[in-house]
């Protein structure tokens, strides 16, 4: 619990530092406009703060989110057998035209939807 809490705290601090770096960049641009100086680049401290904050945010997001799933499909497929490999219950359809082709079909005999 302690590690997750520290990571969340560092994540919030990283976002706050990133927002501060953005505000500092905007403030520097305003300062250059007021003093009528030519804009060349951002000060080194603002660039450094942005990079460090971004690395801190990326690392702590990865730590807070948790375990990632493997990209390789073979990892998920190793636990499946040949019988369940082609089993897709979302494609099951019991309401099809086959019942209209059966001359002995009646609604009372079989209710495949489970609704009576």
């Amino acid at each position: 619990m302690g590690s997750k809490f520290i990571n969340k705290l560092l994540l919030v601090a990283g976002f706050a530092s990133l927002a501060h770096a953005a505000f500092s960049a905007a403030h520097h641009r305003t300062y250059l406009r007021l003093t009528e100086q030519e804009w060349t680049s951002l000060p080194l401290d603002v660039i450094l703060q942005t990079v460090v904050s971004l690395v801190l945010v990326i690392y702590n997001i990865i730590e807070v989110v948790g375990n990632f799933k493997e990209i390789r499909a073979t990892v998920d497929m190793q636990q499946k057998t040949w019988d369940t490999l082609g089993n897709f219950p979302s494609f099951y359809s019991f309401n099809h035209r086959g019942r209209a082709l059966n001359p002995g079909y009646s609604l009372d005999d079989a209710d495949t939807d489970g609704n009576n």
Side-chain angles (χ1 to χ4, degrees), residues 62-97:
I62 291 172
E63 289 296 319
V64 167
V65 168
N67 296 334
F68 289 105
K69 196 172 185 178
E70 284 285 335
I71 294 176
R72 295 176 292 152
T74 57
V75 174
D76 289 336
M77 301 305 260
Q78 287 175 349
Q79 290 87 17
K80 292 191 175 188
T81 63
W82 281 103
D83 297 331
T84 61
L85 199 56
N87 187 12
F88 299 109
S90 59
F91 287 109
Y92 290 170
S93 175
F94 299 107
N95 235 353
H96 51 77
R97 64 179 174 229

Side-chain angles (χ1 to χ4, degrees), residues 23-37:
F23 179 76
S24 296
H27 189 267
H28 178 70
R29 179 77 172 142
T30 304
Y31 170 75
L32 289 178
R33 282 185 187 162
L34 290 175
T35 59
E36 297 176 356
Q37 294 179 9

Side-chain angles (χ1 to χ4, degrees), residues 1-79:
M1 182 192 138
S3 177
K4 280 276 198 200
F5 179 73
I6 291 173
N7 285 13
K8 288 180 183 179
L9 192 64
L10 285 174
L11 182 64
V12 170
F15 275 126
S17 179
L18 201 58
H20 181 266
F23 179 76
S24 296
H27 189 267
H28 178 70
R29 179 77 172 142
T30 304
Y31 170 75
L32 289 178
R33 282 185 187 162
L34 290 175
T35 59
E36 297 176 356
Q37 294 179 9
E38 188 67 30
W39 187 82
T40 55
S41 68
L42 287 174
L44 184 62
D45 63 333
V46 175
I47 294 172
L48 190 64
Q49 181 182 2
T50 304
V51 171
V52 169
S53 300
L54 192 61
V55 168
L56 187 70
V57 165
I58 290 172
Y59 176 76
N60 285 302
I61 281 179
I62 291 172
E63 289 296 319
V64 167
V65 168
N67 296 334
F68 289 105
K69 196 172 185 178
E70 284 285 335
I71 294 176
R72 295 176 292 152
T74 57
V75 174
D76 289 336
M77 301 305 260
Q78 287 175 349
Q79 290 87 17

